[in-house]
Every structure is written in C-alpha cells, then in structure tokens.
Amino acid sequence: MTNFLRPVLALLALNATLTTGFAQTPHPPATTAPVLTLEECVNRALAKNFDVALQRITTSSASNDIEIAKAPYDPNLSLSTSRTFSKTAPDPTTSTFDPFTGTTINGSTRQNIQDSRVTVSQKIVTGATVTATGALNRNQRNPTSGLNPAYTGNVGLIVRQPLLKGFGTGFNRAAIERAKLGLSRSSYDLKGIVLTVVRNVESAFYNLVFAREQREVRRFSLNVAQKLLEENKARRSTGVATDLEVLQAEVQVANAQSALLLSSQTVRNNEDALLQLTGQFEFNQAPGAVRITDEPVAAVTFDKSYKLARDNTPEILSSQLLIEQIKIDLRTTKNARRPQVDLQGSVGQASKEDSYSRASGEVWNGNGYNWQVDLSLTMPWGFRAETARQRQAQLAFNREETHLRQIDQSLVVQVRSAIRSVETNEENVRISTLATELSQKQFEQEKARYEAGLSTFRFVQQSQAELDTARVNQLQAKVNLRVSLADLARLEGSSLRRYKIELAQTAK
C-alpha cells in the first residue's frame, strides 16, 4: 500500500510548484522597443542603400552623356594673333636707297607683319559646318611700295556640306538620340535596382519576424525541458523515476539550450541582413519590434500579372531601348558606307587702308571681294572596315532581339511560378491556421485534464510545445505568403505604387 501511494504523494507534492510554473506565460512579455514598420524600412533603404546610391550616380552620369553628344553643335570661338618679321639675304647685283635711313640696301628686303583674326564655327544637324571669319593685318615692307605700312581687313563666310556620307539629321543626331536612350535605359536600371531592393527588404523584414518568434519558441522549449528535468529529479528522489530518465531529461535540456543558441544567432544574422539593406554601417542598434500585418490578399491571375510584368519589367524595357540604340547604329553604319562627297563654298570681302580703323570700316563696302566653290570626293577602296561594322551592327541587332525573346520567356515562367507560389502559400496559411486552432483546443483540453488530476504536467507541456510548433508553422506560412507576394510585386513592378515611390522620368 505504501509503494502504491508513493508516486501519488510525489505528484501531489509537485502539484503546487508545477501549477505555478504552468501558470506563467509561455512567452516573455512583449518588447517595449518602438515598432518598426515595413514602410519605414523601405524608405530607409531608398535613402541609404548602397546599390540604390550607386545606380543613382550611374543614372546622373548618363544624363551628362546627352550634353556631351550635343556639344559638337555648340559654336566654337577661336582668337589668334601673330607677328612675323623676315629679312632676305643681301643681293650684291641690286641696290636700293632707303629714304628713311639714308642708306643703300644691297638687294635685302625686310618685312614686318602683324595678323589678328577671329573665327566662329558651328556644326548644324544637316552635317554642314558654317564658319565666319574676320581678320586685321598690318604689313610693313622695306623697301617701300604703295601704302607702307598697309592695313588690310577681311571678313568671310565658309559653308562645308557633306552630300553623301555624313549627310542628314538622322546621321548627325544619332549620338544625341543614342545618349537619350542610354539615359532611359539607366533609369530603367535604377527602377530594377529599386524593385529588387524593396523585394529584399520585404523578405528580410519577414524573415526577421519569423526568426524572433522562433527564438521565443526555443526559449519556451528550454523552459519546458528544465521543468521536466526538475520533475524527474523529484520523482527519482521518491523512487518513481530512474537515473536513465533523469539523464534523458538532462540531454533534452542541453539540446534545447543548443537550439536556443542557434536561434539567437539566426536572429542576429537576420537583423544584420535587414540593417545592411536599410543603412550604411549602422549595426550598433538592433531593429525595433517587427510584426506581420494580416492584410487581405487580392486575387491573382496569370493574365493580369503577366501584362503588368510585360509593361513594367525593367529588363524588358531596357532591352527594347537597347534594340532602338542598335537600330541607330545600323543606320549610321549604312551611311558610313557611302563615299565622302563634300561641297564647300566661301565668300569674303576685303579692304586695304592706312590704319586699323579705316581698314575695319571699309571692309563692308565691298571694294574688294572673293568667292570660291569646291567639290571633293574621298572613298576607301572596297569599304572593308565599314562593311564589317555594318555586319557587326546587324549581328548585335539579331542577338538582342533573341535576348529579348529569352527574357520574355523567362518572365512567363517566373510569373507562372510566382502565381502558383502565392496560391499554394495562401492555402497553406489556411491549413496552418486550422492546425493552430486544433492544437489550441487540444492544449486547452489537456490543461483541463491536468487541473482535474487526470493528466501530468509533462503531457500538458508537450501539448503546449505542439501548440507553439503549430504557431510557428502558421507564422512561417504567413511569411512565405508575404515573400511570394513580394516576388510577384517585383515582377509586376507594383511595389513602386504600393510604397508611393517616385523615380526620375526618362529622357524625352
């Protein structure tokens, strides 16, 4: 009779302490740290993420390419002045009396020339170059003849127009149009980086939620294992449990401690992953409290998502613009295979007076004038290099068209996979929610049995551990659903609208 009552008395002795331990909340109180929302994380990432910052610099640099391409059509101003003195060797067969010096110069001529001129030239979109020139010249000779010194003025206009190679606005604006397309491509690259960063921030945020919740489960599992160890030690002291059962309980405690340690490491790693996306070397302070909101999930269809992805995917839009750039290259290489035929015309007026002021004033009277027309032809024999460049441009066009079709096919597969993932995870959330509700009921029933003396604390704790596992599984299903939605939003480009992200417009 005594041996029969011993385990009952032992359990009654433990009842007070175990009931107290059981009454404690399985999870620690909620943290008092400020709540960190997903929107805040996205805004921080757009402001400080390295990938976004680097691509913004690249996009800004691309805008300068347009100015560089336009620069050849800016007027060019040239100013020059020179002074030249020359003296010929004496010629003993001739002699000239110099009235200024009163000496005889034996066939020697001296000349002192000062020349100043200004030139303004500008290229226009037809390929022509227009040049306006003006010059003033002072020429003093010895021996003298006529005006000495003589001051001459010249003004002129020169127009050089390619007739075949280099002719037309299409060819001459090619660099500008290509630079504009390059800026648009860079803007789409920025859009792609932003969409990727937003998706990664969402994933890191949800993974941190899960890691922290899982850590609390591991902490509670350790608490359960420690309680069971205490129970087995107490039962061994009453002769109900054996040393092997105590050893098994100690192993369970050690395994729970190891699991908690690894879970804590996972939390810190996930915190760093989120901080890396949302800041720059800001690892001293852990992110605030994070949680998943149960937002309703809109119905998804392949046709709708694929159309959005086809219209908004930066990779496709960038590839389409690259094809337009290659078309420009094709046109320019075809133009380069033409002979170089240039027509040049020039007109000018000149004056010759005894001072700078009279020379510059009289030049416009047309007393002296000139004109000239030139036609030149230049062409390489066989156009070998030009033909090879045209073949290269055509092959680049064919390659990029094939690449665009490849991107489109990959997009179809990605959208189909993302749709299936959303639908599967949405159903998994429903199933895991039902499993959690059933585990909750099972726990409540086991708790009622324990309070009625029909069960032991060990079974109650096992039921509680199963409930926590069901809760974690439910949380994991919610995380998987949100990540799959983030993946789909990345493909559709809808993340920008959701977080009200405004990006710079592409070049016009």
Side-chain angles (χ1 to χ4, degrees):
M1 184 67 175
T2 303
N3 292 335
F4 173 77
L5 291 175
R6 185 174 297 169
V8 177
L9 293 174
L11 289 175
L12 291 176
L14 287 173
N15 183 61
T17 57
L18 295 180
T19 302
T20 302
F22 172 77
Q24 295 176 351
T25 304
H27 300 288
T31 179
T32 58
V35 176
L36 179 63
T37 65
L38 182 56
E39 288 74 13
E40 289 180 66
C41 292
V42 170
N43 291 333
R44 291 182 188 181
L46 295 181
K48 295 186 176 183
N49 182 268
F50 280 114
D51 290 336
V52 175
L54 290 172
Q55 187 57 46
R56 288 189 191 277
I57 294 174
T58 302
T59 302
S60 297
S61 177
S63 65
N64 293 317
D65 292 337
I66 298 178
E67 300 304 315
I68 294 173
K70 291 180 178 179
Y73 298 94
D74 294 339
N76 286 323
L77 174 65
S78 174
L79 298 172
S80 66
T81 184
S82 64
R83 185 170 182 174
T84 305
F85 177 83
S86 64
K87 178 182 178 182
T88 61
D91 185 354
T93 63
T94 62
S95 62
T96 303
F97 178 75
D98 187 352
F100 293 97
T101 62
T103 60
T104 300
I105 303 174
N106 295 325
S108 178
T109 301
R110 289 178 295 176
Q111 191 172 18
N112 192 344
I113 302 174
Q114 185 171 349
D115 184 79
S116 299
R117 62 184 58 242
V118 58
T119 302
V120 178
S121 64
Q122 181 172 8
K123 185 178 180 180
I124 58 179
V125 292
T126 63
T129 302
V130 180
T131 305
T133 64
L136 285 174
N137 179 279
R138 178 183 181 276
N139 189 349
Q140 184 177 9
R141 297 174 57 88
N142 188 16
T144 62
S145 62
L147 291 176
N148 191 28
Y151 296 85
T152 58
N154 292 279
V155 293
L157 181 67
I158 305 170
V159 179
R160 186 181 185 88
Q161 174 66 62
L163 300 181
L164 292 176
K165 180 180 179 180
F167 174 79
T169 57
F171 176 85
N172 289 282
R173 287 187 57 86
I176 298 175
E177 297 303 321
R178 206 180 194 287
K180 287 183 177 180
L181 292 172
L183 176 58
S184 298
R185 288 188 62 204
S186 184
S187 298
Y188 286 132
D189 291 341
L190 174 60
K191 179 181 179 181
I193 292 292
V194 168
L195 287 171
T196 299
V197 168
V198 169
R199 183 268 172 201
N200 291 341
V201 167
E202 290 178 317
S203 178
F205 182 89
Y206 296 137
N207 287 334
L208 178 57
V209 173
F210 174 78
R212 285 181 173 177
E213 185 64 24
Q214 189 181 46
R215 181 180 60 181
E216 299 311 316
V217 172
R218 298 290 182 257
R219 183 175 286 118
F220 178 70
S221 297
L222 175 59
N223 184 54
V224 171
Q226 290 171 337
K227 294 291 184 183
L228 289 174
L229 177 59
E230 294 173 3
E231 177 183 352
N232 285 337
K233 286 182 178 180
R235 294 177 63 192
R236 183 180 61 179
S237 65
T238 60
V240 175
T242 65
D243 292 339
L244 179 60
E245 291 175 320
V246 173
L247 179 60
Q248 291 174 339
E250 289 175 343
V251 171
Q252 186 177 358
V253 169
N255 290 335
Q257 289 174 334
S258 177
L260 177 59
L261 182 63
L262 294 175
S263 182
S264 298
Q265 179 187 4
T266 301
V267 169
R268 289 192 295 269
N269 289 342
N270 280 275
E271 289 175 345
D272 285 351
L274 182 59
L275 291 172
Q276 182 181 13
L277 290 168
T278 59
Q280 298 181 3
F281 299 100
E282 299 168 2
F283 299 104
N284 293 332
Q285 174 133 14
V290 292
R291 60 175 63 97
I292 295 179
T293 57
D294 293 327
E295 299 178 4
V297 178
V300 293
T301 62
F302 172 78
D303 292 338
K304 177 182 176 182
S305 295
Y306 175 68
K307 184 179 185 309
L308 287 172
R310 194 69 173 74
D311 294 340
N312 297 306
T313 297
E315 292 82 358
I316 285 185
L317 299 175
S318 180
S319 179
Q320 290 172 340
L321 292 182
L322 178 56
I323 289 176
E324 294 302 316
Q325 285 182 315
I326 297 176
K327 286 181 179 179
I328 293 175
D329 295 339
L330 271 173
R331 291 195 296 268
T332 56
T333 54
K334 288 179 180 178
N335 184 279
R337 293 189 63 205
R338 299 174 179 177
Q340 182 77 45
V341 179
D342 292 342
L343 176 64
Q344 178 173 300
S346 64
V347 295
Q349 295 185 166
S351 65
K352 188 174 184 179
E353 301 293 338
D354 57 1
S355 67
Y356 278 130
S357 60
R358 289 178 59 82
S360 60
E362 293 296 325
V363 72
W364 302 105
N365 293 332
N367 294 328
Y369 64 89
N370 61 77
W371 62 268
Q372 182 178 344
V373 176
D374 297 331
L375 184 65
S376 63
L377 169 65
T378 304
M379 57 181 294
W381 194 266
F383 293 95
R384 178 185 299 181
E386 291 76 7
T387 302
R389 291 190 186 98
Q390 184 178 2
R391 288 198 300 266
Q392 285 181 330
Q394 184 63 54
L395 290 172
F397 178 79
N398 296 340
R399 180 176 61 249
E400 193 56 34
E401 276 201 328
T402 303
H403 183 222
L404 178 59
R405 291 194 296 271
Q406 182 185 33
I407 295 175
D408 194 8
Q409 183 190 62
S410 177
L411 186 64
V412 171
V413 175
Q414 292 177 36
V415 172
R416 287 166 60 88
S417 176
I419 292 291
R420 284 194 294 266
S421 180
V422 170
E423 293 173 344
T424 300
N425 288 319
E426 193 173 10
E427 181 64 16
N428 195 26
V429 168
R430 187 189 67 81
I431 294 173
S432 61
T433 300
L434 178 61
T436 300
E437 293 173 354
L438 295 175
S439 296
Q440 180 70 36
K441 292 179 180 179
Q442 180 180 359
F443 167 71
E444 292 174 353
Q445 291 175 357
E446 196 65 38
K447 175 183 175 183
R449 285 169 52 83
Y450 174 77
E451 292 174 347
L454 300 176
S455 180
T456 65
F457 177 73
R458 178 172 183 172
F459 291 121
V460 174
Q461 294 288 53
Q462 288 177 344
S463 179
Q464 177 64 46
E466 292 173 358
L467 174 59
D468 272 352
T469 299
R471 287 172 176 168
V472 170
N473 291 339
Q474 181 185 13
L475 180 63
Q476 181 68 75
K478 290 182 178 180
V479 168
N480 292 340
L481 175 60
R482 295 300 164 182
V483 171
S484 62
L485 288 171
D487 290 335
L488 183 59
R490 163 67 180 86
L491 295 171
E492 295 176 345
S494 57
S495 302
L496 302 182
R497 183 176 65 255
R498 176 184 176 185
Y499 295 106
K500 301 178 181 178
I501 299 172
E502 296 290 340
L503 298 177
Q505 298 294 321
T506 56
K508 299 298 183 182

